[in-house]
Amino acid sequence: DAKTTQPNSMESNEEEPVHLPCNHSTISGTDYIHWYRQLPSQGPEYVIHGLTSNVNNRMASLAIAEDRKSSTLILHRATLRDAAVYYCILRNYGGATNKLIFGTGTLLAVQP
Amino acid sequence: DTEVTQTPKHLVMGMTNKKSLKCEQHMGHRAMYWYKQKAKKPPELMFVYSYEKLSINESVPSRFSPECPNSSLLNLHLHALQPEDSALYLCASSQESDRVTYGYTFGSGTRLTVV
């Protein structure tokens, strides 16, 4: 199964952009890159996903490297409410890895 | 309605008790999931239901028994649990289990303590 590697923790200041990296050097051509986050005392929350092209939605942007071996989740202006564990997950269409399997994620702290 | 509702929010049970966790969604999702999350750890997949049928059991002990009475409801029946089963139990749903272009919607979980 293709795996992802994320830093254990990162810090950011409020109202500044945050770039959360994810390495997935063994990604296959049919793996989708998904991001979820889990705020304290809540269930995980879907953030964004992509395959090859960069993606934007109301929550964040996803920048995918041209070789797809890494990606970056971008929060344009961090707020205190963005403090959470962020998970980068690969899901493969039609395969056993279409399941949503969480790795250890990145704990993001946001300072006022 | 864009939520997954889990009840109860907290549950304390003895090792000889039988209890059930409930999960409900009204988004028309045809796949539903149970996850278990220990403190400071990521969620671990337990069961996958697709179109009301159990499609994946991640080698979960038989003291956990899932049930999907209809497309909106998912239960997890608990019997003879051990203290190490204390955890946050999360329910999730999605359009279909093999559609990787859709996200999962999670509930807030049931915090289970086994004494």
Side-chain angles (χ1 to χ4, degrees):
Chain A
D1 292 347
K3 298 278 189 253
T4 63
T5 305
Q6 299 177 252
N8 288 335
S9 61
M10 291 183 63
E11 276 196 10
S12 172
N13 294 318
E14 199 175 9
E15 298 191 6
E16 290 186 357
V18 182
H19 290 235
L20 295 160
C22 181
N23 287 321
H24 28 77
S25 58
T26 59
I27 191 170
S28 75
T30 50
D31 281 329
Y32 283 77
I33 303 160
H34 284 247
W35 284 83
Y36 282 73
R37 71 179 184 179
Q38 188 171 18
L39 280 64
S41 302
Q42 293 190 27
E45 175 185 30
Y46 166 80
V47 178
I48 200 167
H49 78 273
L51 183 61
T52 57
S53 303
N54 294 345
V55 184
N56 300 298
N57 66 21
R58 62 174 181 82
M59 291 181 69
S61 295
L62 176 59
I64 301 173
E66 197 168 334
D67 64 5
R68 301 186 72 236
K69 293 184 185 300
S70 66
S71 60
T72 303
L73 181 70
I74 302 166
L75 308 179
H76 295 286
R77 287 183 74 226
T79 69
L80 297 178
R81 196 191 170 278
D82 291 321
V85 179
Y86 287 79
Y87 297 100
C88 170
I89 301 167
L90 300 183
R91 296 185 65 202
N92 190 297
Y93 170 75
T97 51
N98 61 4
K99 298 180 289 188
L100 191 67
I101 304 297
F102 291 84
T104 52
T106 296
L107 177 61
L108 175 67
V110 179
Q111 305 300 328
Chain B
D1 188 350
T2 58
E3 291 187 345
V4 171
T5 303
Q6 291 189 243
T7 55
K9 296 216 178 298
H10 300 274
L11 178 63
V12 179
M13 62 183 290
M15 289 188 283
T16 58
N17 291 159
K18 287 185 181 180
K19 296 286 185 184
S20 297
L21 309 184
K22 296 187 185 304
C23 174
E24 191 168 2
Q25 58 89 13
H26 296 287
M27 295 176 280
H29 289 175
R30 302 316 302 266
M32 296 186 76
Y33 313 84
W34 281 113
Y35 283 79
K36 173 182 177 179
Q37 186 173 25
K38 301 282 277 185
K40 307 284 188 194
K41 297 291 187 182
E44 297 176 12
L45 182 65
M46 300 174 71
F47 301 104
V48 178
Y49 270 82
S50 179
Y51 288 86
E52 301 155 49
K53 294 196 183 309
L54 181 66
S55 62
I56 295 175
N57 175 340
E58 293 284 346
S59 303
V60 178
S62 59
R63 57 186 184 270
F64 296 91
S65 175
E67 177 198 20
C68 190
N70 60 55
S71 60
S72 299
L73 293 175
L74 185 66
N75 298 322
L76 186 62
H77 303 298
L78 314 173
H79 173 55
L81 294 194
Q82 302 297 311
E84 57 266 29
D85 296 321
S86 298
L88 181 68
Y89 288 84
L90 293 160
C91 175
S93 70
S94 69
Q95 292 274 0
E96 292 180 349
S97 61
D98 61 352
R99 290 282 193 97
V100 296
T101 54
Y102 291 98
Y104 287 25
T105 302
F106 282 82
S108 297
T110 294
R111 178 78 57 188
L112 174 68
T113 304
V114 181
V115 297

